[in-house]
Amino acid sequence: MPIGKPLEGTYGVIAEFADPQELLNAANAAREAGYKELDAYSPFPIHGLAEAIGFHRSRLSAVVLGGGIIGGFSGFFMCWYANVIWYPLNIGGKPFNSWPAWIPITFECTILFAAFAAVFGMLALNGLPMPYHPVFNVPRFDQASRDKFFLVIQARDPKFDIDDVWKFLESLGPREVNDVPW
Amino acid sequence: MSSVQSTQESTGIARFQVPALIIGVIGFAVTIFGFVSSIDAAMHAYLTSYLFWLQIVAGSLGVLCLQYVTGGEWGILLRRPLGAAARTMIIMAILAIPVVIGAKHIYPWTNLEFMREDASLRLKQGYLNTNFWMIRTAAYFVIWILWAWRIRILSLKFYEDRSPYIDLRRRGWAAAGLPMIVLTLTFFSIDWMMSLEPKWYSTMYGINFLISAGLAAFAFCTFFLSRLANVPAMSNILKPLHFRDMGNLMLAFVMLWAYTAFSEFLLTWYGNIKEEIPHYMARQEGAWGAVSLALIVLHFFLPFFLLLIRDIKDRPATIGAVAIVVLVMRYVGTLWSVAPAWGHFHYSLWDAASLLGVGGIWLFFFIQQLKGQTIIPIHETWVEEAIREGAVKING
């Protein structure tokens, strides 16, 4: 069994499991053992897995809210500026600042900016697109898109000690444990 | 499953039944006194209160149909309260009798002199006349009662033999119930509410009332379940994610309500046509203007922002409080829809009395309908999944 020294540039240690329940149990066990920098890979969403690897609510909702508020104000400002300052026209005797008529634009801009904030904020926060990821250095990792389930404990975990992590992951009854080199 | 077994324990709802009836009877007695002493004011008040409670009942039937068609896990735990509310349509039909008898104190089109004066009103007489109105009203209630009880009977059959054929028939009734509820509530709102201002019309009125009813039903059932979450028998079943689902759907209803209500206003405002604007002019001045502002702030913005926050949706105490805000504003919204037709803002004793009277009597029959069964529909197909769905642990 190749229990090596901590390699320079190890991303983490990966364990392969045969079914989703094993992965879920392993992830829960790892979190309970005090590991924090976990990641899990599976061919399909597993209910409760995100919680098991200690997934916390992201700041995305705040980003989306900010986008929505900026969008709402810009939409209203655009209508107001065009109709009151830039090109005031008397339409049917209505006041220049016909604010009820600006509401649909304001609403649509709120949605548009919030949606943009959601998409780009999501990409900024999760680091996608990611052209290189070390887990693909593990030969069997392509099984993660078929029928195998993987748990990674990352080297940046404060508790990370490669020998301990190996022993710990092997104690969870995986099919295989591997180092993940950078 | 152990969590299902525990639903056999008492939830303690029944203890509210007699107090509800007492309050209802007292309120109703005061309202009857109002009918005798100042018939017009009391009839107006009664119509408003009645329409508020009817929205919960009719809305429940609509949401129930939606739930049986889609079968989403969000609503399986809502089926019993929704069904019980929908079946109280029988008592709502009986409570509608004072409005039908007193129609001439409520609806200006019952006055033939008034109808003959105006060319456009003369043309509307073929639709807006007392006999045809009564026939339509009777038809709505017969249809609603038929649907609510047909679904109930099929459900009871399904619980007995769990035959997928019965389930399919129930879904068929529910599917047909969707266009049914859209059409009946649209015409009902035209007949019972929009016709208070016979010269005025709005094509947005029906859909807004339909959504209002759905929102009222949703808020009521959410409030109901949020109270039950503290009951020992239910606390291990009703979980944060269930309430988050209900909160999200309530948010959708709040937004739809604002969307249709504002669209109606915007089109009228922009069109600026003499027949259409009096409706809003009456609602911009004086106390009605303040009520309009309250609707914008408290019926839309407040629940909208509160329901965006997960911590509020996940906790029974807070989601229950939001549901109460929505219900109160739904009553204010109903008042705002109908009462300006009778002039300046005026809230009388009869308003409060009839609100409690109709509500107390309705609540008595609602609880009656819930009795003798579990609050969680333990015989339904996906109920265990629906219970588990809410129990996932939430971090952060």
Side-chain angles (χ1 to χ4, degrees):
Chain A
M1 194 184 303
I3 298 180
K5 294 265 166 252
L7 295 167
E8 193 59 33
T10 297
Y11 172 79
V13 180
I14 191 166
E16 177 186 325
F17 296 95
D19 74 62
Q21 193 57 47
E22 281 179 23
L23 174 61
L24 200 56
N25 295 343
N28 277 320
R31 196 189 67 248
E32 275 151 26
Y35 292 106
K36 290 193 171 63
E37 300 295 334
L38 303 171
D39 215 342
Y41 303 88
S42 129
F44 48 81
I46 299 171
H47 210 82
L49 185 59
E51 288 76 15
I53 60 171
F55 187 82
H56 285 278
R57 209 192 294 177
S58 75
R59 287 167 297 150
L60 189 60
S61 55
V63 173
V64 177
L65 179 68
I69 289 171
I70 291 169
F73 277 104
S74 340
F76 196 92
F77 178 78
M78 180 177 72
C79 292
W80 173 82
Y81 188 80
N83 288 281
V84 178
I85 307 291
W86 194 45
Y87 208 85
L89 269 183
N90 184 334
I91 301 166
K94 291 186 174 62
F96 291 132
N97 185 25
S98 291
W99 66 265
W102 312 160
I103 299 295
I105 304 288
T106 305
F107 174 73
E108 298 296 347
C109 285
T110 308
I111 304 297
L112 180 72
F113 278 57
F116 276 144
V119 173
F120 293 111
M122 175 269 292
L123 291 178
L125 290 177
N126 67 14
L128 289 174
M130 193 181 288
Y132 173 79
H133 195 288
V135 284
F136 289 95
N137 295 334
V138 178
R140 284 191 56 82
F141 186 71
D142 55 1
Q143 301 290 320
S145 59
R146 289 185 212 160
D147 59 351
K148 292 291 181 290
F149 304 82
F150 294 87
L151 181 71
V152 174
I153 298 178
Q154 294 173 27
R156 63 194 165 108
D157 192 295
K159 243 191 105 190
F160 188 85
D161 175 278
I162 199 153
D163 297 335
D164 289 351
V165 170
W166 263 83
K167 276 184 204 142
F168 172 73
L169 285 176
E170 287 192 324
S171 73
L172 300 173
R175 207 185 152 280
E176 201 174 299
V177 177
N178 275 301
D179 282 329
V180 184
W182 270 103
Chain B
M1 202 176 158
S2 62
S3 60
V4 168
Q5 290 307 319
S6 67
T7 57
Q8 309 280 0
E9 295 165 26
S10 165
T11 52
I13 314 164
R15 71 177 189 276
F16 293 107
Q17 202 178 8
V18 172
L21 186 67
I22 292 170
I23 291 171
V25 168
I26 294 172
F28 213 86
V30 175
T31 311
I32 289 172
F33 178 69
F35 290 152
V36 177
S37 63
S38 56
I39 177 86
D40 283 8
M43 283 310 305
H44 298 166
Y46 186 82
L47 178 73
T48 313
S49 307
Y50 177 81
L51 283 170
F52 168 70
W53 292 105
L54 183 78
Q55 283 173 61
I56 296 177
V57 178
S60 293
L61 180 57
V63 177
L64 188 71
C65 287
L66 194 64
Q67 162 58 210
Y68 278 124
V69 173
T70 60
E73 279 168 359
W74 56 266
I76 290 178
L77 305 185
L78 286 171
R79 282 181 182 181
R80 284 279 161 80
L82 284 171
R87 292 195 301 281
T88 58
M89 193 55 94
I90 290 181
I91 195 67
M92 292 315 280
I94 294 167
L95 289 172
I97 291 171
V99 178
V100 174
I101 293 173
K104 68 171 186 294
H105 298 283
I106 298 175
Y107 297 103
W109 47 261
T110 50
N111 180 351
L112 294 178
E113 301 277 300
F114 171 80
M115 292 300 275
R116 287 196 200 103
E117 270 172 27
D118 187 279
S120 74
L121 291 182
R122 272 200 297 278
L123 291 170
K124 290 185 182 182
Q125 272 186 304
Y127 186 83
L128 281 183
N129 60 69
T130 312
N131 287 341
F132 191 25
W133 178 83
M134 283 194 207
I135 293 169
R136 290 195 305 270
T137 296
Y140 304 139
F141 282 102
V142 167
I143 291 171
W144 289 334
I145 291 167
L146 171 72
W147 243 272
W149 284 89
R150 190 69 208 146
I151 286 176
R152 174 62 171 174
I153 289 162
L154 287 170
S155 286
L156 290 177
K157 264 194 203 165
F158 176 68
Y159 300 155
E160 253 171 44
D161 54 14
R162 301 191 49 119
S163 135
Y165 168 70
I166 299 287
D167 192 29
L168 204 62
R169 272 182 61 196
R170 186 175 62 176
R171 289 177 75 171
W173 272 84
L178 292 177
M180 177 283 292
I181 201 81
V182 169
L183 289 172
T184 50
L185 276 184
T186 299
F187 280 96
F188 176 83
S189 69
I190 292 170
D191 291 353
W192 275 56
M193 298 167 76
M194 203 163 93
S195 74
L196 290 165
E197 296 160 71
K199 288 187 194 175
W200 179 73
Y201 52 86
S202 159
T203 48
M204 201 59 110
Y205 204 83
I207 187 73
N208 185 243
F209 183 68
L210 180 73
I211 290 159
S212 299
L215 175 61
F218 224 90
F220 177 79
C221 288
T222 303
F223 172 74
F224 177 75
L225 288 185
S226 79
R227 296 298 93 189
L228 284 185
N230 301 326
V231 175
M234 300 288 284
S235 58
N236 57 345
I237 293 176
L238 292 166
K239 295 289 181 189
L241 279 186
H242 295 131
F243 288 106
R244 187 190 294 177
D245 281 352
M246 292 174 213
N248 284 338
L249 274 155
M250 201 150 66
L251 175 64
F253 272 110
V254 165
M255 288 167 71
L256 260 177
W257 175 85
Y259 182 81
T260 53
F262 178 76
S263 302
E264 189 175 38
F265 167 71
L266 176 65
L267 294 173
T268 308
W269 183 86
Y270 212 82
N272 203 19
I273 297 169
K274 211 179 78 187
E275 291 83 45
E276 291 182 0
I277 53 174
H279 179 78
Y280 283 103
M281 302 216 353
R283 285 160 177 80
Q284 275 174 14
E285 288 151 11
W288 286 124
V291 175
S292 300
L293 202 65
L295 284 182
I296 295 170
V297 176
L298 300 175
H299 199 315
F300 174 62
F301 280 105
L302 181 71
F304 173 76
F305 282 110
L306 290 179
L307 289 172
L308 284 180
I309 303 167
R310 266 192 198 172
D311 290 330
I312 288 179
K313 285 183 278 195
D314 287 354
R315 273 196 296 237
T318 44
I319 191 77
V322 177
I324 283 292
V325 170
V326 170
L327 278 175
V328 169
M329 289 322 289
R330 201 74 289 293
Y331 173 64
V332 176
T334 310
L335 193 69
W336 180 91
S337 287
V338 297
W342 305 306
H344 292 298
F345 181 85
H346 175 68
Y347 198 84
S348 67
L349 167 69
W350 319 129
D351 280 288
S354 56
L355 183 69
L356 295 175
V358 176
I361 291 171
W362 174 76
L363 202 61
F364 174 84
F365 284 97
F366 171 72
I367 296 171
Q368 189 67 34
Q369 283 299 325
L370 279 174
K371 275 183 170 178
Q373 59 183 350
T374 54
I375 297 295
I376 302 301
I378 51 176
H379 303 292
E380 295 287 358
T381 311
W382 294 101
V383 68
E384 291 184 0
E385 284 77 359
I387 291 171
R388 264 205 301 278
E389 189 68 19
V392 171
K393 197 168 157 248
I394 304 160
N395 294 323

